[in-house]
Amino acid sequence: MKRLLISIATLVLTAAILLGIHFGLAGVREENTQKELDRMLHILLPGSTSFTQEAYSPTEDDLIEAVYKAENGFVVQTKTQGYGGELTMLVGVDLEGSVTGVVVRDLSETLGLGSKALIDDKFLAQFLWTEGEAAVGENVDALTGATVTSKAVTRCVNAAVSYVTGADTSSGATSWGG
């Protein structure tokens, strides 16, 4: 009986210590996450000095999660459904509506196929300096074996450009007005 009580007390103490560490490091974790986001924003929109998060209602475009404004453009955080789950991206767009940077932040795609969207620089580079007209099979070469993922990335990029330029994506607009 004494051994059982000692084991239970040890488990409770260990759980309390782990919870304390978890909550104690929450501030550090949040600070590191913010620093990493700030660094990424500056990379995706070169020449920017500061960013402010814009108020954004997801009812405008359900692919857009957040918008960060700088003096020379925007970085738009987008999320859409890929083949294996949700895909989250950050897309830099200058004030003229050209894509200045693209990064896939999170995805749940098939290992070795759709997961290549995280690291395939040739695939992602196709979107640089485009202006919202990207289409898989037309001017974007899909990742081999990952057409659904490629189309998801393309939707995210086009949604970000559409936000900056004011294009009406619901009508399938191809002219990008301001």
Side-chain angles (χ1 to χ4, degrees), residues 58-119:
T59 57
E60 296 173 42
D61 184 338
D62 61 352
L63 296 182
I64 296 174
E65 288 192 313
V67 176
Y68 303 93
K69 183 178 185 195
E71 60 280 356
N72 59 340
F74 298 82
V75 175
V76 181
Q77 182 174 316
T78 58
K79 183 182 276 188
T80 193
Q81 188 68 28
Y83 179 77
E86 290 186 330
L87 180 135
T88 304
M89 295 182 62
L90 288 173
V91 181
V93 183
D94 67 17
L95 294 174
E96 287 77 42
S98 293
V99 177
T100 59
V102 176
V103 67
V104 177
R105 301 272 305 204
D106 189 30
L107 57 73
S108 302
E109 302 300 274
T110 306
L111 190 61
L113 297 173
S115 65
K116 289 182 181 178
L118 283 169
I119 58 169

Side-chain angles (χ1 to χ4, degrees), residues 8-167:
I8 292 172
T10 302
L11 283 172
V12 169
L13 181 61
T14 303
I17 290 170
L18 289 174
L19 277 172
I21 291 170
H22 174 75
F23 289 113
L25 293 177
V28 173
R29 190 171 41 251
E30 187 176 309
E31 181 181 330
N32 286 342
T33 300
Q34 186 60 47
K35 283 181 182 178
E36 192 261 338
L37 175 63
D38 289 343
R39 185 178 67 80
M40 193 61 61
L41 295 175
H42 284 88
I43 290 170
L44 293 171
L45 195 61
S48 54
T49 57
S50 65
F51 289 87
T52 56
Q53 188 167 356
E54 296 278 294
Y56 184 77
S57 169
T59 57
E60 296 173 42
D61 184 338
D62 61 352
L63 296 182
I64 296 174
E65 288 192 313
V67 176
Y68 303 93
K69 183 178 185 195
E71 60 280 356
N72 59 340
F74 298 82
V75 175
V76 181
Q77 182 174 316
T78 58
K79 183 182 276 188
T80 193
Q81 188 68 28
Y83 179 77
E86 290 186 330
L87 180 135
T88 304
M89 295 182 62
L90 288 173
V91 181
V93 183
D94 67 17
L95 294 174
E96 287 77 42
S98 293
V99 177
T100 59
V102 176
V103 67
V104 177
R105 301 272 305 204
D106 189 30
L107 57 73
S108 302
E109 302 300 274
T110 306
L111 190 61
L113 297 173
S115 65
K116 289 182 181 178
L118 283 169
I119 58 169
D120 191 322
D121 56 342
K122 290 179 183 173
F123 170 70
L124 295 173
Q126 297 177 93
F127 297 99
L128 294 177
W129 307 114
T130 62
E131 296 179 346
E133 73 281 356
V136 173
E138 291 179 25
N139 55 354
V140 172
D141 292 328
L143 291 165
T144 303
T147 304
V148 173
T149 304
S150 301
K151 287 182 177 183
V153 168
T154 302
R155 277 193 309 276
C156 286
V157 171
N158 288 344
V161 173
S162 296
Y163 174 82
V164 174
T165 61

